[in-house]
Amino acid sequence: MSVNRILTGITTTGTPHLGNYVGAIRPAIQACQAGGSESYYFLADLHAIIKCHQPELIRQSAKEVAATWLALGLDTDKAVFYRQSDVPEITELSWILSCMAAKGLMNRAHAYKASVAANLEEGADPDFGVTMGLYSYPVLMAADILMFNANRVPVGKDQIQHVEMARDIAGRFNHHFGEVFKLPEAVIDDSVAVLQGLDGRKMSKSYNNTIPMFLPEKQLRKHINKIKTNLLEPGEPKDPDTSTVFQIWQAFADGEQTVWMRKQFEDGIAWGEAKKQLFELINDELGGARDKYNELLADSSVIETVLQAGAEKARAVSGPLLSKVRDAIGIGAM
Ligand code: TRP
């Protein structure tokens, strides 16, 4: 029986926030620690340049994302942790796959469709601002996944379609050229919380409602104080199940602490006090990693060394697989 290979990419276009942590980073690091599978985690910087054309932002985000994973203790001896653009086999595979991927399939990709819909709404040309990068985004993502024959891909719900496209493309390739690729599956873990942001909607960079993971204490406190609540006074019972403060609490607390806070809500805890408690809880969980994070950012050569070693491990896998692909499709040395 072959072992599960878990792979996921993090687009480097922002500063990691609590939603990323709870929804993706923490479970991924735990999966790696638990053992029993192989973990491939990477900085998706080639995906980042699709939407962001500001080199300084991309560079800074790549540093921050890498420093976050390392500060949280990702074991890079166990996991293969690398930067997508350090593995040129991926871009080559992406082209090869684009010769197998149906254009009609790409027409249905929701990132592309959303851009077209927005254009039509404004009476603009449907393809206004749509680059080939955006259009082929799912092919590059398929290359990321298939390059390492990953079979389990933990993603948010918005990415399921892309993993299914990767599966579709792999199936077509195999059908035509023989069994080269494993068929990947999206993994959605329902026990992992989708965190709410300051305004109660899903915490997301695009809603501008995030709490960055490693804010200095004072700022973290400030952000938590900005979480939207209602006007209930201290002493009035509050409903935990409609409260963002409680929802975030739950994502950081153990069972006992959750029961305790539920009781505090019923007993009418003041919003200010609930937020103070929430700050303490988050600060306790992330405070240690924050120091490490700042250290790593102050001297990114450590990060770079880790990424270089990761790329070497990744290429030991991608090189041979790409040779197999080239051979299967009839290109390369005679
Ligand atoms: N597109 C994903 C996102 O925006 C990131 C990503 C790139 C990815 N390549 C991947 C995720 C491969 C899983 C597997 O979230």
Side-chain angles (χ1 to χ4, degrees):
M1 207 194 69
S2 65
V3 49
N4 275 329
R5 188 170 282 178
I6 307 175
L7 174 143
T8 200
I10 311 94
T11 308
T12 53
T13 44
T15 298
H17 55 71
L18 296 184
N20 302 138
Y21 174 65
V22 166
I25 308 173
R26 187 172 62 182
I29 291 177
Q30 282 167 351
C32 179
Q33 265 161 4
S37 54
E38 297 171 352
S39 301
Y40 283 67
Y41 302 143
F42 68 95
L43 310 178
D45 56 348
L46 296 173
H47 276 99
I49 59 170
I50 292 173
K51 272 194 268 169
C52 177
H53 297 161
Q54 291 169 274
E56 281 320 313
L57 285 186
I58 303 262
R59 243 189 289 277
Q60 180 63 20
S61 171
K63 263 189 214 168
E64 291 178 353
V65 172
T68 298
W69 285 73
L70 298 180
L72 290 168
L74 173 70
D75 182 347
T76 52
D77 288 330
K78 281 197 198 158
V80 184
F81 185 61
Y82 56 101
R83 177 167 45 205
Q84 186 185 29
S85 61
D86 284 342
V87 184
E89 290 79 13
I90 295 171
T91 35
E92 182 172 340
L93 180 61
S94 182
W95 172 256
I96 294 171
L97 295 178
S98 69
C99 299
M100 270 283 130
K103 174 171 179 288
L105 185 68
M106 295 305 115
N107 287 341
R108 293 200 290 276
H110 59 62
Y112 163 69
K113 272 175 50 178
S115 290
V116 172
N119 283 335
L120 291 176
E121 191 145 318
E122 287 174 22
D125 184 282
D127 281 334
F128 178 76
V130 175
T131 62
M132 287 307 294
L134 176 64
Y135 193 65
S136 335
Y137 170 124
V139 181
L140 178 59
M141 188 157 153
D144 290 331
I145 298 169
L146 303 181
M147 187 81 266
F148 297 99
N149 264 330
N151 58 331
R152 321 256 307 150
V153 186
V155 283
K157 291 206 170 64
D158 60 316
Q159 296 290 325
I160 299 175
Q161 184 195 34
H162 296 144
V163 180
E164 281 169 0
M165 287 177 164
R167 194 181 167 84
D168 191 281
I169 295 168
R172 258 179 186 249
F173 187 99
N174 288 350
H175 181 71
H176 206 85
F177 298 111
E179 295 296 311
V180 173
F181 296 120
K182 280 215 182 94
L183 302 188
E185 245 173 77
V187 184
I188 310 293
D189 185 345
D190 288 323
S191 70
V192 167
V194 176
L195 217 62
Q196 291 168 11
L198 298 176
D199 57 0
R201 293 188 289 173
K202 175 188 170 186
M203 190 179 287
S204 162
K205 196 177 44 189
S206 26
Y207 294 148
N208 198 16
N209 65 356
T210 69
I211 304 176
M213 282 180 65
F214 293 126
L215 290 172
E217 282 193 16
K218 229 175 145 179
Q219 298 240 23
L220 176 60
R221 210 184 274 278
K222 261 197 185 157
H223 270 71
I224 290 175
N225 282 331
K226 277 193 281 188
I227 299 171
K228 197 172 147 197
T229 56
N230 55 30
L231 296 173
L232 291 173
E233 299 285 340
E236 290 187 83
K238 299 174 177 66
D239 178 14
D241 297 313
T242 54
S243 161
T244 299
V245 176
F246 185 77
Q247 199 251 357
I248 300 178
W249 174 272
Q250 223 171 354
F252 284 85
D254 60 27
E256 210 172 299
Q257 289 167 319
T258 302
V259 171
W260 177 79
M261 185 53 93
R262 191 172 274 286
K263 175 88 171 53
Q264 303 304 302
F265 267 63
E266 283 157 12
D267 292 349
I269 189 175
W271 285 122
E273 179 59 22
K275 287 176 171 179
K276 186 166 161 261
Q277 295 288 339
L278 179 60
F279 164 78
E280 302 289 348
L281 186 69
I282 295 176
N283 199 46
D284 279 353
E285 181 160 332
L286 295 179
R290 177 171 52 218
D291 295 340
K292 182 88 191 113
Y293 173 81
N294 288 326
E295 237 171 73
L296 286 163
L297 284 185
D299 175 12
S300 52
S301 67
V302 177
I303 306 178
E304 192 50 40
T305 304
V306 170
L307 289 174
Q308 293 297 334
E312 206 171 304
K313 281 203 272 178
R315 295 191 72 189
V317 177
S318 60
L321 186 63
L322 186 63
S323 298
K324 203 169 154 189
V325 170
R326 287 167 141 254
D327 194 47
I329 61 177
I331 64 171
M334 298 185 175

